[in-house]
Amino acid sequence: EESPNLDDDIIRNAQQLGYDAAKVRRWVNQKFGVTGGLESLTEHDKREVLKLFREQAQAAQAKSAPK
């Protein structure tokens, strides 16, 4: 079973929101009460984080799109 690299996807989506890898790590640590950033999360939690960043990135694009 091939699993996509969730960490890369999360960072890529977060960068669209102006987050760098260090900021993502701090955010994950704070939100999930961990200390190792994305590496500390389960696949399930990573999918949740990715979904959240994707939704925020889409919302940001929708706001900046010309009407």
Side-chain angles (χ1 to χ4, degrees):
E1 175 179 307
E2 193 176 82
S3 121
N5 191 333
L6 289 171
D7 293 25
D8 288 347
D9 287 346
I10 290 168
I11 297 296
R12 207 170 21 257
N13 279 276
Q15 285 173 337
Q16 293 175 2
L17 297 166
Y19 284 49
D20 62 8
K23 194 169 180 182
V24 170
R25 183 182 180 95
R26 283 193 302 272
W27 182 88
V28 166
N29 288 351
Q30 190 173 18
K31 175 137 177 93
F32 290 91
V34 296
T35 57
L38 292 171
E39 290 121 40
S40 302
L41 300 183
T42 63
E43 292 282 307
H44 173 77
D45 286 343
K46 286 182 183 184
R47 282 189 183 78
E48 289 298 310
V49 169
L50 179 57
K51 183 178 162 204
L52 211 140
F53 280 131
R54 277 189 177 150
E55 287 170 357
Q56 287 182 8
Q58 286 170 352
Q61 284 176 346
K63 275 186 198 165
S64 64
K67 298 199 170 170

